[in-house]
Amino acid sequence: MAIVDYVQQMWSLARDGQAQGVFFFAALYALVMLLYSLRYQIKVSSRPSVMGELVDERIREFGYAHAPSQKDYVAAVSYRYVVEGKEYTGSKLSPWVFVTNNNARFILKKQLHSMGRDSSGKVAVYYDPKQPHKSFLVKPGRFGKLVTAVLAVVPWALYWVQYYP
């Protein structure tokens, strides 16, 4: 019951606007969301793949600014693939959409170059076996999973250091 009492105490502090209570629930929220993301990354990493045809790949800009430095950029792809005799089309490069500014477009270029291509130019398409129309071209890597796990723990470490030195 000590955990329940502690959570109730933190709830009271958060409700009163006290930093410790707010920090506790922010760290809890981050932990839950990042563990969910990590679970999804692990699940997605084991999806099967088929070779597909890349129809289009580019970095798309959007925004109303005239200067490139004030616009946003996103990787855009289009591809076709066949699963169990049925053809599908896809437009997702990765399970996560990265929106960057002009200075960080290199991240999008790197992501586009990380697609698995064979010598004929075909790309590996990772699809959900239960819903083959859901697909993407880049699987989560070990580094991304490690970053997600570390980010899940960091708020708790900071909370501990701040309130229990």
Side-chain angles (χ1 to χ4, degrees):
M1 274 309 185
I3 293 173
V4 173
D5 293 337
Y6 188 79
V7 171
Q8 287 175 340
Q9 180 184 2
M10 290 302 109
W11 179 254
S12 295
L13 290 174
R15 194 179 55 226
D16 293 340
Q18 297 293 318
Q20 183 177 0
V22 172
F23 197 160
F24 175 84
F25 282 102
L28 182 62
Y29 177 79
L31 177 71
V32 170
M33 291 297 107
L34 289 164
L35 287 179
Y36 178 78
S37 177
L38 182 61
R39 182 179 157 262
Y40 180 71
Q41 289 177 52
I42 292 168
K43 178 180 167 185
V44 162
S45 293
S46 64
R47 286 188 177 174
S49 68
V50 294
M51 296 311 287
E53 177 187 350
L54 189 61
V55 176
D56 184 31
E57 70 173 297
R58 60 191 158 92
I59 296 177
R60 186 173 59 87
E61 64 179 45
F62 58 97
Y64 296 105
H66 295 290
S69 63
Q70 296 177 346
K71 292 185 179 183
D72 290 320
Y73 298 85
V74 65
V77 294
S78 177
Y79 52 92
R80 289 189 290 257
Y81 60 102
V82 177
V83 175
E84 296 180 4
K86 185 171 181 185
E87 185 172 307
Y88 298 94
T89 59
S91 61
K92 288 187 178 180
L93 177 62
S94 167
W96 297 270
V97 177
F98 290 101
V99 178
T100 64
N101 62 16
N102 188 52
N103 296 331
R105 282 178 27 190
F106 71 92
I107 295 171
L108 298 175
K109 288 177 184 176
K110 183 174 187 212
Q111 193 179 31
L112 283 171
H113 291 303
S114 66
M115 292 183 286
R117 298 178 199 241
D118 67 9
S119 59
S120 68
K122 297 240 183 212
V123 292
V125 178
Y126 303 95
Y127 65 95
D128 184 342
K130 294 178 183 172
Q131 299 176 324
H133 65 279
K134 293 186 176 185
S135 63
F136 49 87
L137 302 177
V138 178
K139 284 198 316 189
R142 289 182 184 151
F143 180 73
K145 292 179 217 168
L146 177 65
V147 168
T148 302
V150 168
L151 289 175
V153 175
V154 165
W156 288 104
L158 294 173
Y159 176 81
W160 190 264
V161 167
Q162 178 69 28
Y163 295 106
Y164 299 100

